Amino acid sequence: MDKDKDLRITFKITLLWLCSAHAAGGRASRCCLFSSCCEVTEGPTSGGQFDQQCRAGRNCVTEAAEMSETAETRGPVTRRRRTTITSTKQTKRQDAGEKAPPCSAKEKTADKVQKHASNNGNVEKEMGKSAQQQQQLTNSPKKQRSAVEDINDRLRCHNLQESLLSSASGYSNYRGILNWCVVMLVLSNARLFLENIIKYGILVDPIQVVSLFLKDPYSWPAACLIIVSNVFILAALYTERRLAVGTISETTGMILHLFNLTSLLIFPSASILTVTSITPVGGVLSLGTYTVLFLKLYSYMDSNKWCREIRHAKAKRMTRSYSCPIVAHSNGSAINTNVSYPGNLTHRDMYYFIFAPTLCYQLNFPRSPRIRKRFLIRRLFEMLFLMQLLVGLIQQWMVPSVQNSMKPFQEMDFSRMVERLLKLAVPNHLIWLIFFYWFFHSSLNFVAELLQFGDREFYRDWWNSETVTYFWANWNIPVHKWCLRHFYKPMLRKGVNKFLAQTAVFLASAFFHEYLVSVPLKMFRLWAFMGMMAQVPLAWFVSRFLNGNYGNAAVWISLIIGQPIAVLMYVHDYYVIHYGSTT
């Protein structure tokens, strides 16, 4: 008996240890099932009854372990409650009020297992609750951390940082300020426009525009002068043909070319100065055409000369890509054969270059694959609309401002002169910007699209210029390429100093500016020449003392203020010379 008692005590201790282990893993509710299913009665029992109890306990432990593994894999799920069905004999005995006979140990164990099976639903609910508690315990550190961070955020509201408008902040998104500037510009100009309409009325007159080009409807001297320019074009072409076949020497060809180029500048200016029926506007158009022809034919002469040098050196491939390039795919997807010297000396090639929107000649121009009709129509619409807008702004806004500025200049009233200058600066600058878009974007792109000319880089981002030299190198790319290719680099190759070469470029530009203004107005005051030469010290000053945004502001100020000064000078002198007094 002592031995059986020791075994019972050992078995019970083992069961309690199992219950405590499962309780530590979150299975406390099932341990209750283990302990109750494997309950052992103390007292005198037979060996067979003890064996039956042990076997029932082991079965319960095995079943509980399987349930534990299923719960771990599936998690807390809700199951239907099981209903226990009592035996018929038990029911009859309970109804009769009889006491049930004493059950054997095996029956007691079975009844207890059945009882706990009937309470399985409650046990599983407790299992679900315990699983939720375990999940809450698992998530509790995260909640604690989030709570701590929330408290820290409440306590801390300042960081080490710079103000947005400080340069050290690195902030660069000023889109809203740019929009504000545009809105303010529109509103201020709208006020000026209304003031102008109220003060002067409608001054736009299309008939007056025609009179600017023609004094006599039956006399077209400017158009005739432009037609005569074909003589100089053909002279350059035939001179190159003679040089290509060797009938004239290089020296003779150079003399003929120089004579032809000099005549291009002298003949139109002499015609304008002597023919009284040519208007100033017609004279500007004629001289502009001849100036462009001068630059084109000079480039034509230089490029063909380089090709002859290559041919004389018996080079199979052209090494000067900027003069005689041979690029396999220079024409895009268009199927065109490359031209080689002297096969380029044709009327077709010559006149294509004359009408192409470039001043630099080469044997094979890059070509676009097709003509985009929609693009062409848009550019044509822009040309017509912006031309009307330019004429309207000049007649309605700029002419009255110029006329009202004459009296302060005559009386030399400095304060009134500055006021009139600033008042003229706004319409003058606006007209210049519109003209830039009309000519360099709309007009040149229209011509390039018609001729399928592929190089459309007519301007770069001159509005971001931080130096004066950058502006002059990027606002007019065709002229910049010509100066760089035919004037600046040849001087550097001859050993001329870089600063002297730049000064010479500005000197040539100043000459042509004065040439295009003084000759049509038939007076020589050198205002444009001095204005261009003043760019040399201004460029040095800006590059030396002003950087970044300050340099860009200096460039804009020179554009906004410098042009109106020259305009007022020429208008004042023109009225004084031709009308005797200012009005």
Side-chain angles (χ1 to χ4, degrees), residues 295-367:
L295 300 177
K296 282 178 176 284
L297 294 182
Y298 187 94
S299 178
Y300 188 77
M301 176 192 69
D302 256 3
S303 299
N304 285 291
K305 179 183 177 182
W306 294 332
C307 290
R308 285 194 301 275
E309 291 175 354
I310 295 173
R311 187 181 65 171
H312 293 332
K314 297 181 181 180
K316 294 182 179 180
R317 300 188 64 182
M318 301 178 182
T319 56
R320 296 195 181 192
S321 59
Y322 57 86
S323 61
C324 303
I326 296 180
V327 183
H329 301 286
S330 62
N331 295 331
S333 61
I335 301 175
N336 292 314
T337 57
N338 290 326
V339 179
S340 60
Y341 186 84
N344 63 308
L345 302 177
T346 61
H347 292 86
R348 179 186 179 89
D349 182 86
M350 182 63 162
Y351 277 96
Y352 181 86
F353 170 59
I354 294 300
F355 287 102
T358 181
L359 298 176
C360 296
Y361 176 76
Q362 67 183 46
L363 273 69
N364 297 285
F365 291 103
R367 304 290 293 274

Side-chain angles (χ1 to χ4, degrees), residues 359-425:
L359 298 176
C360 296
Y361 176 76
Q362 67 183 46
L363 273 69
N364 297 285
F365 291 103
R367 304 290 293 274
S368 57
R370 61 184 181 86
I371 297 176
R372 298 170 291 178
K373 295 181 180 179
R374 292 184 179 179
F375 180 85
L376 201 66
I377 293 173
R378 286 199 298 269
R379 300 290 83 82
L380 179 61
F381 174 77
E382 290 175 355
M383 290 171 60
L384 297 177
F385 173 75
L386 292 178
M387 177 57 70
Q388 299 296 325
L389 182 62
L390 282 172
V391 172
L393 289 176
I394 291 173
Q395 288 184 329
Q396 185 68 41
W397 198 354
M398 193 168 180
V399 171
S401 298
V402 172
Q403 291 176 348
N404 293 333
S405 302
M406 293 299 100
K407 187 175 180 180
F409 273 85
Q410 184 181 13
E411 298 175 354
M412 299 303 295
D413 187 352
F414 183 75
S415 60
R416 292 291 303 278
M417 289 169 59
V418 173
E419 186 268 335
R420 290 297 173 180
L421 178 65
L422 296 177
K423 188 174 183 179
L424 181 62

Side-chain angles (χ1 to χ4, degrees), residues 210 213-224 277:
V210 177
F213 295 90
L214 300 173
K215 288 184 178 179
D216 185 1
Y218 301 99
S219 177
W220 297 52
C224 295
S277 60

